[in-house]
Amino acid sequence: AQSVTQLGSHVSVSEGALVLLRCNYSSSVPPYLFWYVQYPNQGLQLLLKYTSAATLVKGINGFEAEFKKSETSFHLTKPSAHMSDAAEYFCAVSEPNYQLIWGAGTKLIIKP
Amino acid sequence: GAGVSQTPSNKVTEKGKYVELRCDPISGHTALYWYRQSLGQGPEFLIYFQGTGAADDSGLPNDRFFAVRPEGSVSTLKIQRTERGDSAVYLCASSSNGAGAYNEQFFGPGTRLTVL
């Protein structure tokens, strides 16, 4: 069975610092991987997705993620945090033609 | 509409009552998904529609939960004999091609259900 683990329910970084949100997955077949962002009182919005093309995926708002099969990871990074990045971030995995399995989420806190 | 809409945005009900939650997907999207999100958790899959039919309802927790999509557009999630444990945010999403792990799902803002 597929599963997703997001390390750290809360991550706090200073404005301008590197953002690193961790996601590890388990899947018996090559997966599709996603990062979604949820701003307060808003719906989930797709940040980026990996669908077996390039292993380094660039998304919106300066975020990117790298698929590492050997580590079963899909960590999300951004070189320089902005106050507007404060939100909750969800990693999700799917096998082809199946529904998404979600991590528990990581709340990103930006310190001024 | 421009995005997925859900009504009501908040619903407070008493234990044992019946509730209906509505989802209006993006026009033309054939696939529609319902999820439930409890505090501190990621979304939990409930049911997926392709057109009018439920292609996968394996996530519905029990027979108190039911969903319909009679015309292949608007969907209603129905919960009978509500229990306090049903309290959560119910999310709806739609996508253009369905059955598509790699088809982007567009989410509505959710309905926050509180069962007293």
Side-chain angles (χ1 to χ4, degrees):
Chain A
Q2 299 173 83
S3 66
V4 177
T5 303
Q6 291 185 240
L7 189 63
S9 60
H10 292 76
V11 169
S12 180
V13 302
S14 298
E15 192 175 15
L18 171 72
V19 175
L20 171 61
L21 304 182
R22 299 178 187 274
C23 173
N24 288 89
Y25 69 92
S26 67
S27 176
S28 58
V29 299
Y32 297 130
L33 294 155
F34 305 80
W35 275 100
Y36 278 80
V37 60
Q38 188 172 33
Y39 296 102
N41 301 315
Q42 294 188 28
L44 288 153
Q45 180 183 2
L46 182 68
L47 264 181
L48 49 81
K49 62 185 177 186
Y50 167 77
T51 58
S52 73
T55 57
L56 181 63
V57 181
K58 294 189 184 297
I60 61 172
N61 301 336
F63 284 91
E64 62 182 36
E66 186 173 8
F67 171 66
K68 292 187 176 180
K69 184 178 178 181
S70 61
E71 298 177 7
T72 60
S73 69
F74 191 56
H75 301 332
L76 182 71
T77 60
K78 182 173 180 177
S80 177
H82 295 161
M83 295 301 292
S84 60
D85 295 327
E88 190 154 21
Y89 292 79
F90 292 91
C91 182
V93 65
S94 177
E95 296 174 0
N97 298 319
Y98 201 63
Q99 71 263 22
L100 297 172
I101 306 299
W102 298 78
T106 297
K107 190 161 289 187
L108 178 62
I109 300 161
I110 311 296
K111 297 179 292 185
Chain B
V4 178
S5 62
Q6 292 185 246
T7 54
S9 55
N10 278 284
K11 176 71 177 178
V12 180
T13 190
E14 293 179 342
K15 180 174 178 292
K17 299 288 189 183
Y18 168 82
V19 297
E20 290 190 352
L21 311 179
R22 176 187 166 111
C23 172
D24 206 332
I26 292 172
S27 177
H29 278 191
T30 58
L32 186 146
Y33 306 77
W34 283 100
Y35 294 87
R36 179 169 67 175
Q37 187 176 18
S38 300
L39 197 62
Q41 311 262 344
E44 173 193 12
F45 170 77
L46 296 177
I47 187 170
Y48 152 57
F49 286 91
Q50 182 62 259
T52 60
D56 183 351
D57 64 357
S58 62
L60 294 177
N62 52 59
D63 61 6
R64 295 187 297 105
F65 288 74
F66 189 70
V68 295
R69 195 185 184 200
E71 297 178 0
S73 178
V74 170
S75 176
T76 304
L77 178 66
K78 308 181 181 195
I79 310 174
Q80 299 177 318
R81 304 183 304 279
T82 51
E83 300 178 357
R84 292 193 180 88
D86 299 334
S87 297
V89 176
Y90 288 81
L91 298 170
C92 176
S94 69
S95 69
S96 57
N97 292 335
Y102 46 82
N103 289 317
E104 180 178 352
Q105 294 182 26
F106 294 83
F107 282 80
T111 293
R112 182 176 299 278
L113 175 66
T114 303
V115 182
L116 302 177

